[in-house]
Amino acid sequence: MSAHPLLDALLRHLDTQGDTVENLQRRLTAFRALGPENGGDGEMPKARQIAELLGGPGSPFTLRWCNAPDARVSCGERPNLIAHLPGREARTLWLFAHTDVVPAGPDASWTSDPWSVRREGDLLYGRGVEDNQQGLVSMLLLAAALRAALDAGAERPPLGLGLVFMADEECGNLKGLQHVLEQAGELFRPDDFYIVPDSGSPDGSEVEVAEKHVLWLRVRTSGRQCHASQPQCGVNAFVAGAAAVLACAGLTEDFPQTDALFQPPCSTFVPTRHEGGADSINILPGDDCFYVDCRLLPDVTPESVLAAARARTADVARRFGVEITVDIHHHQAASVTPQNSPVVGALAGAVAAVYGVEARPVGIGGATVAALLRRQGLPAVVWSRLLNTCHQPDEHSSIAATIGDAKVFAHVLCRC
């Protein structure tokens, strides 16, 4: 007899769930769970469907709603659902998925209806099937497998299982995980395991343990407007702003530090959004504004970058006779989970057992909800086996990977 009968039962159950993955994806995609910022009415119908799947008579899970008020949606709330099943030990494996999706974009850019899942072999196509429904469905598969095993007389797993289904991830998390942590933070313990299946690599080898600072700079240039036929009467803020763009792009020279954990291994400084300028072609613009997206290594401080940007643009201001101000438009602090955290080792062992690859810790420049957990002192990692088609036309996910990821979580849950 196997030394891990519960794990064996979970894996056998998961091996039979290919059609279940397709059916769940079809049901969830049809809800069009868009937040109000994206022209939708929120996630409540989708969240209620998830609650029906997890609850009901005989369910071993305790369900708790932690909804955030939001007058912009018809039901007045953004849903956050927490499901928990105690284990034999005090610690819990927590898995997190968001229920909202992004708009599909023009229908013409899709091969088929983005809100009606299309299957081609192992792949399912539709908006949200990867972001974040692959992780979400993996969580539901594990919950169903665990319920079936317990109904058949299996003992509870060593770790408890906690499932968090969040709203508002695509538009800032204020109504989602941030609200959950504010209202139900007592549920989450520093020695629990935290996995966010919302980013990853096609082979499953990347375990995200760190994120860079996210810093957005706003650079405003003030000159003097005049008629374009008399440029000597004004000061062209657009031209000076263009020089400021190049100056800010040069911030890479001021911060040459590298860290091999990240890809790219350096801080990045990318001028992006542009505002201001003249309303007519025959007006010399007196105002200009642009933004710089900065992704900073954890040991590069936002304050030092702001000071360097101000020094660089001050030189531009002197050369062009304009006034330039630089301020912070948005900042999210860097976050790091130590590479020797128990969750990192447990996940690496599970990935090797299921996928036969060696998992390695990585850092990213993007921002995930793991940062919110890390700021609470909770050792979160971000992992999944993803094809990375999120937010694209013809977004798709793998049925095999959805099942495989559930198996990885089963291994961690059983600590095998």
Side-chain angles (χ1 to χ4, degrees):
M1 179 178 291
S2 168
H4 308 294
L6 174 59
L7 178 61
D8 291 344
L10 296 178
L11 298 182
R12 285 196 303 270
H13 181 97
L14 291 170
D15 277 333
T16 68
Q17 298 304 299
D19 289 341
T20 302
V21 173
E22 180 181 357
N23 292 335
L24 285 173
Q25 286 277 25
R26 289 189 184 281
R27 293 161 71 180
L28 296 172
T29 301
F31 284 111
R32 304 192 186 203
L34 299 166
E37 297 91 341
N38 286 323
D41 194 37
E43 311 88 347
M44 185 62 79
K46 186 175 181 178
R48 286 174 177 157
Q49 174 72 83
I50 294 168
E52 289 181 13
L53 292 168
L54 289 170
S59 172
F61 288 92
T62 299
L63 303 187
R64 174 176 174 178
W65 292 96
C66 189
N67 297 345
D70 193 339
R72 299 172 299 170
V73 297
S74 59
C75 67
E77 293 181 317
R78 306 292 291 282
N80 298 294
L81 177 64
I82 305 168
H84 185 258
L85 183 148
R88 302 197 307 273
E89 302 176 6
R91 290 191 294 177
T92 294
L93 166 62
W94 291 97
L95 303 173
F96 299 79
H98 62 87
T99 54
D100 59 325
V101 300
V102 296
D107 287 345
S109 63
W110 288 75
T111 304
S112 55
D113 179 2
W115 305 108
S116 180
V117 167
R118 170 172 57 92
R119 180 173 182 174
E120 289 190 6
D122 177 58
L123 300 180
L124 300 174
Y125 290 78
R127 175 53 83 224
V129 296
E130 183 176 70
D131 184 20
N132 187 209
Q133 287 169 199
Q134 178 174 321
L136 194 160
V137 171
S138 292
M139 291 160 58
L140 292 177
L141 293 180
L142 177 60
L146 184 56
R147 180 172 182 173
L150 295 177
D151 287 346
E155 64 177 353
R156 289 177 179 259
L159 299 180
L161 178 61
L163 308 174
V164 182
F165 303 92
M166 312 162 292
D168 194 35
E169 191 273 345
E170 297 292 0
C171 296
N173 295 301
L174 292 178
K175 306 294 185 181
L177 185 56
Q178 182 168 318
H179 181 79
V180 171
L181 292 172
E182 291 170 354
Q183 300 298 316
E186 76 281 357
L187 295 175
F188 308 110
R189 298 154 41 103
D191 59 347
D192 287 344
F193 288 14
Y194 299 88
I195 301 176
V196 181
D198 195 22
S199 182
S201 56
D203 65 354
S205 65
E206 295 182 356
V207 179
E208 188 260 276
V209 298
E211 298 175 11
K212 297 178 181 179
H213 292 280
V214 179
L215 175 66
W216 293 346
L217 298 178
R218 177 170 47 208
V219 183
R220 290 178 283 200
T221 302
S222 298
R224 186 169 63 254
Q225 180 177 308
C226 69
H227 196 285
S229 68
Q230 298 291 313
Q232 74 279 6
C233 298
V235 179
N236 196 320
F238 181 30
V239 172
V245 167
L246 296 177
C248 288
L251 286 166
T252 53
E253 301 170 4
D254 301 329
F255 300 94
Q257 300 96 319
T258 60
D259 185 336
L261 181 66
F262 293 89
Q263 182 59 38
C266 56
S267 299
T268 59
F269 307 89
V270 182
T272 55
R273 181 179 173 187
H274 182 260
E275 296 175 347
D279 295 326
S280 176
I281 295 174
N282 62 353
I283 297 175
L284 182 149
D287 295 289
D288 189 78
C289 180
F290 68 92
Y291 297 79
V292 185
D293 180 286
C294 310
R295 307 294 167 128
L296 313 179
L297 295 176
D299 61 349
V300 175
T301 67
E303 294 78 13
S304 64
V305 173
L306 178 62
R310 285 174 172 170
R312 283 177 164 271
T313 56
D315 179 65
V316 174
R318 286 190 295 270
R319 288 192 287 121
F320 286 87
V322 296
E323 179 181 345
I324 299 180
T325 61
V326 184
D327 57 21
I328 294 176
H329 180 66
H330 169 75
H331 172 232
Q332 178 171 305
S335 64
V336 178
T337 292
Q339 296 182 39
N340 62 354
S341 294
V343 66
V344 177
L347 182 58
V351 170
V354 174
Y355 288 125
V357 299
E358 181 179 354
R360 66 186 190 281
V362 300
I364 65 171
T368 74
V369 297
L372 298 176
L373 297 168
R374 292 172 186 143
R375 287 187 210 125
Q376 301 293 320
L378 306 175
V381 298
V382 182
W383 175 88
S384 192
R385 184 181 178 185
L386 291 180
L387 299 171
N388 291 314
T389 64
C390 65
H391 295 212
Q392 299 177 20
D394 283 345
E395 176 183 354
H396 53 277
S397 66
S398 161
I399 294 173
T402 304
I403 294 172
D405 289 3
K407 290 182 177 181
V408 169
F409 303 146
H411 274 268
V412 177
L413 181 69
C414 296
R415 297 176 62 210
C416 300

